[in-house]
Amino acid sequence: MSQLLSLRDRKRAETWAALHAAAARRALDEGLEGVNIEVVAEEAGVSARTFFNYFPCKEDAVLGLKKPSVEPEMLAAFDIEGDLLAEVSRLMLAVVRSIQGGDDSAELRGRIYEAYPQLRHRRYQYILKVEQLVLETVASQLAESRRWREMPANSAWQGHDVDDVAFTIVLTASTRMRHVMQKTWSNPTATAQFQALDQGLELLRDVFKELL
Amino acid sequence: MSQLLSLRDRKRAETWAALHAAAARRALDEGLEGVNIEVVAEEAGVSARTFFNYFPCKEDAVLGLKKPSVEPEMLAAFDIEGDLLAEVSRLMLAVVRSIQGGDDSAELRGRIYEAYPQLRHRRYQYILKVEQLVLETVASQLAESRRWREMPANSAWQGHDVDDVAFTIVLTASTRMRHVMQKTWSNPTATAQFQALDQGLELLRDVFKELL
DNA sequence: TTGCACAACTGCAATTTTGCAGTTGTGAAA
DNA sequence: TTTCACAACTGCAAAATTGCAGTTGTGCAA
């Protein structure tokens, strides 16, 4: 038998799911205030202290949020030589999406976000973290890229710091994440979100045509 | 004698300053962990409960942060018909700056941010709130503006929602705030920050010249 | 298979944060 | 000047959060 996960990892995943399920159910049944750490922990069969080994706060347990990370398959799909804004935006969206469950639980999450809009702030805060992660990747790859190393002498980027350029691109992509979230709170599926991203990039280009 | 502030308002300001001073001094003397609410409150002559009537958390007391708000004089300096990106960015910077003390305490704050970079996150979170405030202003003013109501038929903005356009502009300005903060942690004076903003806008234009 | 290093869980105590309800004093209107 | 509504402060209790130190069991290498 191939073990996809070790016993330890499997139990950890089970505990995580149990805590999330208990928190989400109580939130939908009794409202956000009805989520009591002690009760949730007991329902999941662990101590209250252990709850905080899995989630930094109640909100994250209700939403089932995980720490963001840039996975190898995301990097593989990323091309620093391509359409930079689109590439970086898609990379960010992939990372942002990975901190939550898949499309199977999208409808449930949609209902939670509709019921408790306060929780949206939490999502925005995570985007700040994602920025940092993606910025490291983009800054290092851009510095090594052909488009930077073989930059034409008349390029508008001439004279700018590569980190400043990467910063600007990543933060611009980040604004598109916010746009995607805003448009897809009630339907956060992959299809809807990547489509919203494309529309957001289109919007961005049109807005800037008149401003720059 | 002209009363700039009523007795009530004066006492409130004094208590605020006392709490902030006590928290900031202890942070610089003993480190962030050395800031104990009970002690700070006692030093300021109020109860621990009252501390939370002034600040939502320790960090804000250390930094002396106030709730952001768009003041009338900022609105007066704002021109929806002007260079939109520059106008909105300057409005945001004014609001962001107003949540903290003036240039007289800039050097002190600079030292705190240098000593405890974790606190910078707090500043970023406040920028999220400022966005919301500024977005309301810009969205409503843009909808009533000449540039929107008398938009030429060939404008790239044709067919877009005015709220989406305002959203994109405000979030772009927000990225410039982040740039300003990053460049001026150690010297957050008005001069340095408005200069950093102009450089940031220049950077933005140059980056986009190659991307759009 | 044994034994070790470490991940996960735990209780406990301290601190932070919030809700509530009661007291006091200020500001303003009559 | 008196009166009244309310802002500010308070204690208290509950809940959330964190640090620390000890126990247990898994994963792995000898």
Side-chain angles (χ1 to χ4, degrees):
Chain A
M1 289 294 291
S2 75
Q3 301 272 63
L4 279 178
L5 293 173
S6 66
L7 170 60
R8 190 181 267 175
D9 288 339
R10 226 181 316 138
K11 282 177 70 173
R12 184 167 176 78
E14 277 167 20
T15 302
W16 186 94
L19 285 168
H20 169 44
R25 192 160 51 69
R26 290 196 77 81
L28 283 173
D29 287 355
E30 335 226 350
L32 273 190
E33 336 76 45
V35 182
N36 180 298
I37 305 278
E38 298 229 18
V39 175
V40 168
E42 170 157 32
E43 231 174 294
V46 294
S47 75
R49 186 64 187 84
T50 295
F51 174 92
F52 289 101
N53 290 336
Y54 283 84
F55 299 99
C57 60
K58 296 204 295 188
E59 286 74 32
D60 285 16
V62 170
L63 297 171
L65 293 176
K66 306 165 188 174
K67 288 272 166 63
S69 71
V70 182
E71 299 299 323
E73 64 267 24
M74 302 176 190
L75 279 183
F78 174 70
D79 176 17
I80 189 72
E81 305 289 358
D83 176 344
L84 252 190
L85 220 38
E87 288 289 331
V88 175
S89 296
R90 293 200 184 102
L91 175 59
M92 280 197 77
L93 181 51
V95 178
V96 167
R97 285 184 51 79
S98 74
I99 71 177
Q100 235 170 17
D103 285 355
D104 45 331
S105 54
E107 197 262 341
L108 171 67
R109 273 176 286 135
R111 261 188 295 143
I112 294 183
Y113 280 119
E114 291 295 325
Y116 309 108
Q118 320 95 292
L119 293 177
R120 299 177 183 189
H121 286 294
R122 194 66 194 144
R123 203 68 194 280
Y124 288 142
Q125 289 180 11
Y126 269 102
I127 291 184
L128 295 183
K129 293 191 183 178
V130 174
E131 279 174 6
Q132 298 174 7
L133 290 174
V134 172
L135 181 54
E136 293 172 22
T137 300
V138 173
S140 64
Q141 287 206 23
L142 181 60
E144 301 303 319
S145 70
R146 224 180 321 137
R147 74 191 317 155
W148 183 265
R149 294 159 73 88
E150 302 172 13
M151 190 193 303
N154 66 347
S155 167
W157 291 4
Q158 279 292 346
H160 286 295
D161 187 294
V162 64
D163 287 328
D164 285 342
V165 173
F167 181 89
T168 297
I169 293 169
V170 170
L171 260 60
T172 300
S174 183
T175 71
R176 293 311 93 189
M177 289 310 100
R178 311 273 300 281
H179 188 255
V180 168
M181 295 304 131
Q182 199 199 33
K183 297 290 183 185
T184 62
W185 285 121
S186 56
N187 180 34
T189 60
T191 306
Q193 294 197 316
F194 278 98
Q195 183 189 333
L197 175 56
D198 286 340
Q199 292 174 353
L201 287 170
E202 198 57 41
L203 171 65
L204 182 72
R205 287 177 215 277
D206 285 344
V207 168
F208 279 174
K209 270 182 199 158
E210 301 292 323
L211 286 185
L212 297 182
Chain B
M1 289 295 289
S2 76
Q3 300 273 62
L4 277 177
L5 293 172
S6 66
L7 170 60
R8 190 180 267 175
D9 288 339
R10 227 180 315 138
K11 282 178 70 173
R12 184 166 176 78
E14 276 166 19
T15 302
W16 187 93
L19 285 168
H20 169 42
R25 192 158 53 70
R26 291 196 76 80
L28 283 173
D29 286 355
E30 336 227 350
L32 273 189
E33 336 76 45
V35 182
N36 180 298
I37 305 278
E38 298 228 19
V39 175
V40 168
E42 169 158 32
E43 230 174 293
V46 295
S47 75
R49 185 65 188 83
T50 295
F51 174 93
F52 289 100
N53 290 337
Y54 283 84
F55 298 100
C57 60
K58 296 204 295 187
E59 285 74 33
D60 285 15
V62 170
L63 297 171
L65 293 176
K66 306 167 188 173
K67 289 272 165 62
S69 71
V70 182
E71 299 300 323
E73 66 267 24
M74 303 175 188
L75 279 183
F78 175 70
D79 176 18
I80 191 72
E81 306 289 358
D83 176 344
L84 250 190
L85 220 38
E87 289 289 332
V88 175
S89 297
R90 293 200 184 102
L91 175 59
M92 279 196 78
L93 182 51
V95 178
V96 167
R97 285 183 51 80
S98 74
I99 71 177
Q100 235 168 16
D103 285 356
D104 45 332
S105 55
E107 197 262 342
L108 172 67
R109 275 177 285 136
R111 263 188 292 143
I112 294 183
Y113 280 119
E114 291 296 324
Y116 309 107
Q118 321 94 289
L119 294 178
R120 299 176 184 189
H121 287 294
R122 195 64 195 146
R123 203 69 194 279
Y124 288 141
Q125 289 180 11
Y126 269 103
I127 292 184
L128 296 182
K129 292 191 183 178
V130 174
E131 279 174 7
Q132 299 174 6
L133 289 175
V134 173
L135 181 54
E136 293 172 23
T137 299
V138 173
S140 65
Q141 287 206 23
L142 181 61
E144 301 304 318
S145 70
R146 226 180 320 137
R147 74 192 316 154
W148 183 265
R149 295 160 72 88
E150 302 172 12
M151 191 192 307
N154 67 346
S155 166
W157 291 3
Q158 279 292 346
H160 286 294
D161 187 295
V162 64
D163 287 329
D164 285 342
V165 173
F167 181 88
T168 298
I169 293 169
V170 171
L171 260 61
T172 301
S174 181
T175 71
R176 294 310 92 189
M177 289 309 101
R178 311 273 300 280
H179 188 256
V180 168
M181 295 302 132
Q182 198 197 35
K183 297 291 183 186
T184 62
W185 286 121
S186 56
N187 180 34
T189 59
T191 306
Q193 294 197 316
F194 277 97
Q195 184 189 335
L197 175 56
D198 286 340
Q199 291 172 354
L201 287 170
E202 198 56 41
L203 171 65
L204 182 72
R205 287 178 215 278
D206 284 344
V207 168
F208 278 173
K209 270 182 200 159
E210 300 292 322
L211 285 184
L212 296 182

